[in-house]
């Protein structure tokens, strides 16, 4: 049984080292495999949880086998229990919290409706100009038309009224 524990421990160490080198590739493979097996809706089936459990099982087994006089069956049961507890802790305190924390600094253009912007290229009465919008992710330029059909000069502050296809309809902001 000691060989099984060592193999689990070495597998976890090898997985950690390989993940450091080509982690993105492995992550995409595992995500694809999970989607193909329809496991992608099981949040707890993350590689870090599974491999962490296998590695913990191996480490606990090696430690108990080498440094205690416990029965082989009791060592296996304790190693499984420790692996389950540590895997649950990894999921609860790391994976679940990190999945909630994944926020992009990007934005959706639909989220910009109602935001203030500045005209960078004059918007004619019947045509397109350009606006500049300052967001958390930086400064972006977008094509814009006048919501009321009025000319809006460069440098004017505007508010985005609606999204028309890929263009914004804006109105002068008079404060």
């Amino acid at each position: 049984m000691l060989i099984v524990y060592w193999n689990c421990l070495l597998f976890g160490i090898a997985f950690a080292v390989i993940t450091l080198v080509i982690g993105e590739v492995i992550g995409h493979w595992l995500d694809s495999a999970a989607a193909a097996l329809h496991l992608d809706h099981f949040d707890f089936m993350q590689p870090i949880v599974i491999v962490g459990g296998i590695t913990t099982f191996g480490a606990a087994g090696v430690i108990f086998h080498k440094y205690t006089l416990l029965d082989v069956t009791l060592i296996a049961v304790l190693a499984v229990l420790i692996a389950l507890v540590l895997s649950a802790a990894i999921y609860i305190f790391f994976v679940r919290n990190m999945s909630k924390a994944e926020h992009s600094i990007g934005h959706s253009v639909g989220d910009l409706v109602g935001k203030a912007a500045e005209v960078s290229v004059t918007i004619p009465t019947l045509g397109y100009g350009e606006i500049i919008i300052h967001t958390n992710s930086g400064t972006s330029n977008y094509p814009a038309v006048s919501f009321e059909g009025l000319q809006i000069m460069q440098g004017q502050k505007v508010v985005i009224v609606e999204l028309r296809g890929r263009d914004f309809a804006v109105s002068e902001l008079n404060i």
Side-chain angles (χ1 to χ4, degrees), residues 24-172:
E24 285 296 315
V25 174
I26 292 173
H28 291 299
W29 288 344
L30 292 174
D31 288 343
S32 298
L37 296 172
H38 304 290
L39 297 174
D40 49 347
H41 59 278
F42 293 116
D43 290 342
F44 61 89
M45 298 289 288
Q46 298 291 327
I48 189 170
V49 175
I50 295 169
V51 175
I54 292 169
T55 308
T56 303
F57 170 76
V62 168
I63 290 170
F64 284 135
H65 193 290
K66 287 242 182 217
Y67 298 109
T68 68
L69 299 174
L70 297 175
D71 182 48
V72 175
T73 307
L74 185 57
I75 291 173
V77 169
L78 286 173
V80 167
L81 288 175
I82 291 171
L84 288 174
V85 168
L86 189 67
S87 293
I90 289 171
Y91 173 72
I92 291 168
F93 296 114
F94 181 71
V95 173
R96 188 175 62 179
N97 291 335
M98 291 304 288
S99 67
K100 291 178 186 175
E102 290 183 16
H103 293 289
S104 172
I105 60 170
H107 59 271
S108 167
V109 289
D111 295 339
L112 297 175
V113 174
K115 302 281 186 201
E118 182 180 336
V119 176
S120 60
V121 174
T122 299
I123 301 171
T125 56
L126 296 172
Y128 291 89
E130 187 174 84
I131 58 172
I132 296 176
I133 303 170
H134 301 284
T135 63
N136 292 340
S137 58
T139 303
S140 301
N141 295 2
Y142 292 99
V145 296
S146 173
F147 183 74
E148 294 96 3
L150 303 172
Q151 181 176 359
I152 305 173
M153 299 303 292
Q154 179 180 0
Q156 281 291 109
K157 296 288 184 188
V158 293
V159 64
I160 299 171
V161 178
E162 68 182 9
L163 181 62
R164 294 182 183 168
R166 295 184 300 212
D167 309 318
F168 289 113
V170 298
S171 182
E172 242 183 282

